Amino acid sequence: MNILILGSGGREHAFAWKLSQSPNCNQLFIAPGNAGTSAFGTNLAVSPTDFAGVKKIVLEQDISMVVVGPEDPLVKGIHDYFINDDELKRVSVIGPQADGAQLEGSKDFSKQFMARHRIPTARYETFTPATLADGLSFLETLSPPYVLKADGLAAGKGVVIPLNLADAKSELHEMLANAKFGNASSKVVIEEFLHGIELSVFVLTDGHSYKILPAAKDYKRIGEQDTGLNTGGMGAVSPVPFANTDFIKKVEDRVIIPTINGLKQEGITYKGFIFIGLMNVNGEPFVIEYNVRMGDPETEVVIPRIKSDLLDLFSGVANGNLNEKSFETDSRYATTVMLVSAGYPEEYEKGKAISGLDKVSDSIAFHAGTTNQKTSDDAEQTVTNGGRVIAVTSYGTTMAEALQKSFANAELIHYEGKYYRKDIGEDLKKYFN
Ligand code: AMP
Ligand code: GLY
């Protein structure tokens, strides 16, 4: 079958790499894709939120399945757009409809959903501009640090964690009264701060049955030892050494099963990924957030650890027979180290020539923000095209071995302003002693 992947990051490169290995994958298209995805299929310059543009590709290229990478088109209802269009309704879409996508699109919805289905999460309340004064009083009942979440999508910046009450109050004021995140902060969730260690668990579901994918830990801050600004993710490790069978069983019983059953009970047909951001609080799982897509860069370690045919699993999602599909994982570790642009996550320059990709061996260089440009002599040159540039993924029988390969290959790739964290996985080493 012909497949269209929507998105342009390392996640979509990893999907393209894996789907292209399936005997049932005929032609692969990626919109808009990047220099890395162009090695596995045809990139088409259409934005994932340009539904009419996506429709045109689907009809012209005889696409049977659309795999949606990012959350934006899902929250905006791309799956519903397909279902409601006579020419598109035969096409499978991997990713929930707008009702299910609220799990990520509205923090208030997701907290209420968790409350309705008794899924463990931090205690919270939701406030609007009309109830700002109550919100300020509620902050006084909590102890620092404070967790304030803009209800809607805010390009990954909507969670603010002030360390003292005065900052928390002024932040709440900014969000509600001054619309700091525009419409996204017209409602704000304030919740209790959970102390523990974070990890992410990924689930693929057809709305009835599910497969639990490998868990991963990502590294969000720009600086080593988790300092500095939040980024989209600077690296990831899978499996997570402290997420043993007992812990994952708790996650399955207390979170995954109630989530799948809750969606069903509420009449939400959910076909796609559920990304569960968790805090491990003394061995007990609490949900921090749901995302309705795969994580990036977590995908760059999770997908390489899936041995089964991903297209076959996606067909199971589309056809509602995921329970009949075999699912096997690779027991090796996978690690990824993200090479970023100087200045990221703030202002950075694009268009820096990348060299050394051909030197990478025993690692996979998943492109996160790259594009191919014509040089003056009409050759092709891969250049940087984003803050996050390349995710260097490696396997190892130990985490240390995988990391050593990722770091060694990170050194072989060059462009002006390259930066990466050299402490990915460092905090996990204590679990091996
Ligand atoms: P984001 O990925 O932008 O949604 O950032 C959310 C981050 O804020 C999470 O990865 C956690 O590190 C942190 N966070 C969110 N909610 C809580 C909470 N209730 N307690 C502690 N940390 C939290
Ligand atoms: N790496 C976190 C995310 O994809 O949201």
Side-chain angles (χ1 to χ4, degrees):
M1 77 170 79
N2 293 348
I3 303 167
L4 172 63
I5 300 171
L6 299 181
S8 62
R11 168 181 50 208
E12 288 75 21
H13 187 177
F15 282 154
W17 170 83
K18 182 69 178 168
L19 288 171
S20 69
Q21 295 168 28
S22 170
N24 293 320
C25 176
N26 189 10
Q27 282 184 285
L28 195 55
F29 296 86
I30 310 94
N34 61 37
T37 62
S38 67
F40 296 98
T42 306
N43 287 348
L44 296 167
V46 167
S47 158
T49 51
D50 171 7
F51 295 175
V54 172
K55 172 174 178 176
K56 197 156 171 275
I57 300 176
V58 168
L59 298 181
E60 280 173 6
Q61 308 297 345
D62 192 23
I63 303 288
S64 306
M65 178 184 286
V66 177
V67 179
V68 186
E71 63 277 15
D72 230 26
L74 294 169
V75 172
K76 293 193 168 117
I78 193 165
H79 195 156
D80 313 68
Y81 177 86
F82 272 67
I83 289 173
N84 295 323
D85 185 303
D86 280 342
E87 290 176 291
L88 296 178
K89 61 180 170 210
R90 61 169 182 86
V91 178
S92 309
V93 177
I94 305 303
Q97 296 166 52
D99 53 1
Q102 287 180 90
L103 281 181
E104 178 166 1
S106 167
K107 302 274 187 208
D108 181 46
F109 174 87
S110 80
K111 294 295 283 191
Q112 289 193 36
F113 178 88
M114 287 185 255
R116 281 196 292 276
H117 302 288
R118 302 187 197 297
I119 294 164
T121 187
R123 190 167 67 89
Y124 82 106
E125 282 195 36
T126 300
F127 300 94
T128 64
T131 58
L132 172 59
D134 300 333
L136 295 170
S137 310
F138 181 63
L139 283 171
E140 287 175 7
T141 70
L142 301 173
S143 37
Y146 301 87
V147 183
L148 277 62
K149 300 183 171 182
D151 177 58
L153 293 184
K157 297 192 165 61
V159 178
V160 185
I161 307 195
L163 299 178
N164 63 58
L165 185 59
D167 289 352
K169 285 185 168 178
S170 85
E171 187 62 44
L172 184 64
H173 196 269
E174 279 300 301
M175 283 179 155
L176 285 176
N178 297 340
K180 177 174 176 185
F181 298 109
N183 206 27
S185 61
S186 61
K187 274 191 207 165
V188 173
V189 167
I190 302 180
E191 67 182 36
E192 214 171 32
F193 184 90
L194 297 169
H195 294 270
I197 179 156
E198 271 183 80
L199 75 155
S200 302
V201 170
F202 302 91
V203 176
L204 182 65
T205 181
D206 60 3
H208 303 281
S209 70
Y210 57 86
K211 305 286 185 200
I212 305 178
L213 312 184
K217 183 176 190 303
D218 81 337
Y219 293 80
K220 288 205 168 73
R221 303 294 197 92
I222 188 71
E224 289 173 10
Q225 270 74 54
D226 287 328
T227 53
L229 294 173
N230 248 331
T231 70
M234 296 295 293
V237 173
S238 176
V240 182
F242 60 82
N244 54 24
T245 324
D246 277 359
F247 183 80
I248 296 294
K249 180 84 173 77
K250 287 183 190 172
V251 174
E252 180 170 20
D253 291 343
R254 300 179 197 172
V255 180
I256 297 173
I257 293 172
T259 299
I260 305 280
N261 288 345
L263 288 165
K264 249 198 303 200
Q265 271 171 31
E266 298 192 14
I268 295 174
T269 308
Y270 196 109
K271 289 178 179 289
F273 291 102
I274 310 177
F275 164 156
I276 306 167
L278 291 167
M279 190 71 85
N280 174 339
V281 181
N282 300 320
E284 308 303 321
F286 286 78
V287 177
I288 293 179
E289 63 177 359
Y290 288 110
N291 294 310
V292 297
R293 49 165 176 93
M294 281 301 288
D296 196 344
E298 292 91 330
T299 307
E300 290 94 296
V301 294
V302 171
I303 293 291
R305 294 194 56 234
I306 297 177
K307 280 198 190 162
S308 312
D309 180 336
L310 186 62
L311 179 51
D312 192 42
L313 290 167
F314 283 169
S315 298
V317 169
N319 300 328
N321 63 344
L322 186 60
N323 61 331
E324 294 166 18
K325 305 292 181 185
S326 80
F327 178 69
E328 242 192 295
T329 57
D330 191 321
S331 61
R332 287 177 296 175
Y333 272 83
T335 60
T336 200
V337 171
M338 187 65 79
L339 312 185
V340 305
S341 300
Y344 175 77
E346 297 186 286
E347 294 262 301
Y348 57 84
E349 290 176 14
K350 294 183 182 177
K352 308 291 181 195
I354 303 172
S355 63
L357 285 166
D358 54 334
K359 305 258 174 1
V360 171
S361 70
D362 223 10
S363 287
I364 311 166
F366 287 121
H367 293 220
T370 67
T371 189
N372 282 330
Q373 256 178 17
K374 284 262 184 283
T375 58
S376 49
D377 53 359
D378 226 27
E380 285 228 309
Q381 167 70 54
T382 302
V383 301
T384 66
N385 194 39
R388 293 189 294 166
V389 179
I390 306 267
V392 185
T393 294
S394 318
Y395 292 106
T397 48
T398 61
M399 182 182 76
E401 183 195 345
L403 284 170
Q404 185 272 326
K405 289 183 198 170
S406 286
F407 289 129
N409 282 293
E411 276 304 301
L412 302 177
I413 300 169
H414 298 286
Y415 54 86
E416 190 189 316
K418 177 184 80 176
Y419 166 77
Y420 61 94
R421 273 180 64 170
K422 297 191 173 62
D423 69 336
I424 303 302
E426 199 69 46
D427 59 325
L428 299 176
K429 290 189 176 156
K430 62 175 183 264
Y431 295 98
F432 297 104
N433 295 326

